[in-house]
Amino acid sequence: MAAETETVWLVNISPEKWPPRNRTYFGSLEVRSPEAGEAYAVTPIRGCKGFIDMGDRRTVDYRLTAKEVADDIAREINGDSGEGSFHGVFVSAEARPSDGELAEARRKLQEFQRRLVAAADLEWERSKNPMFITDLERRAARQLGQEKPWLYDAKPLAECPVCGEKIKHGVAVCRSCGAILDREKAARYGFVSKEEPARDMLRQKR
Ligand SMILES: [Zn+2]
């Protein structure tokens, strides 16, 4: 009886949103993620009954405890990123996890994230190519609050609509021909005055 009435809790300390978990025995389940300002989020998990279809109209019933269901889901979420993989989900017997449980989860998550960042650093040293840095590694660096040169996707260069030279995205003034490409930004940095739009080009040329 206990198996059907007991509840355990999936605790998630990562702000990451996970796609719903699907199982034949309970359908679809969404593991909650902490919102801004929350240290963790909990999702109640109950035990359930399932059956195995043996064919020929014979089925075998089985029962999963809440703990078994929760362990299964936690293992799936945590374990999909290789060795030492941990994404901040653990099983607790209480809706309020203990400080010890939370501290241990934080330690494991940070350890895994530091490893991802170290791997990305090594990759960056070797290739200097942001394409080789994974989303997971970027996320790890952000969550650890680390500023890294490989955090940003390198955008391909744009073309100046006036002279056709390659320029960076978002620049206010073309460094090749002096065309004002973003009037507001150019004005903010004192390249042009907002009141004299007609003379912008002349000023730049002088
Ligand atoms: Zn130009």
Side-chain angles (χ1 to χ4, degrees):
M1 276 286 88
E4 283 160 14
T5 52
E6 75 182 324
T7 301
V8 299
W9 305 83
L10 271 179
V11 184
N12 182 13
I13 62 166
S14 160
E16 198 55 31
K17 304 263 190 266
W18 308 106
R21 303 289 128 180
N22 300 301
R23 293 290 187 281
T24 53
Y25 49 83
F26 60 64
S28 185
L29 177 109
E30 185 130 9
V31 176
R32 287 195 55 230
S33 298
E35 303 296 329
E38 289 181 325
Y40 62 88
V42 294
T43 307
I45 303 290
R46 286 175 174 279
C48 54
K49 274 197 241 175
F51 65 87
I52 299 165
D53 191 344
M54 306 293 284
D56 202 21
R57 290 184 183 174
R58 284 182 309 135
T59 58
V60 174
D61 290 339
Y62 62 92
R63 182 169 289 176
L64 290 171
T65 64
K67 175 84 161 66
E68 285 169 331
V69 174
D71 281 342
D72 175 36
I73 295 169
R75 193 164 44 232
E76 183 185 72
I77 290 177
N78 287 326
D80 70 349
S81 307
E83 202 199 332
S85 177
F86 183 69
H87 291 296
V89 176
F90 65 93
V91 181
S92 174
E94 306 293 333
R96 263 187 79 94
S98 71
D99 290 346
E101 284 177 317
L102 288 169
E104 169 67 7
R106 263 182 234 119
R107 187 195 61 76
K108 271 170 72 178
L109 184 58
Q110 284 187 2
E111 190 178 292
F112 179 53
Q113 288 174 334
R114 275 197 289 269
R115 248 168 55 187
L116 290 171
V117 168
D121 279 341
L122 215 63
E123 179 55 53
W124 180 253
E125 208 173 290
R126 201 174 61 85
S127 69
K128 289 282 184 288
N129 187 344
M131 299 246 302
F132 292 135
I133 308 299
T134 67
D135 288 346
L136 198 61
E137 289 163 346
R138 288 199 176 87
R139 208 157 66 210
R142 290 202 186 96
Q143 288 189 8
L144 289 173
Q146 294 191 8
E147 192 59 37
K148 294 287 181 183
W150 43 260
L151 263 179
Y152 310 96
D153 281 313
K155 280 192 194 157
L157 294 172
E159 258 174 30
C160 171
V162 181
C163 70
E165 276 298 304
K166 296 279 184 212
I167 50 168
K168 284 181 185 162
H169 282 273
V171 295
V173 179
C174 174
R175 78 191 149 109
S176 173
C177 72
I180 310 295
L181 302 171
D182 183 334
R183 182 172 307 280
E184 203 174 305
K185 198 188 266 183
R188 208 180 323 143
Y189 293 103
F191 278 91
V192 292
S193 117
K194 278 178 180 161
E195 295 79 46
E196 307 172 88
R199 278 156 55 191
D200 292 348
M201 295 296 291
L202 289 172
R203 279 190 180 204
Q204 289 303 311
K205 292 258 156 99
R206 266 204 309 257

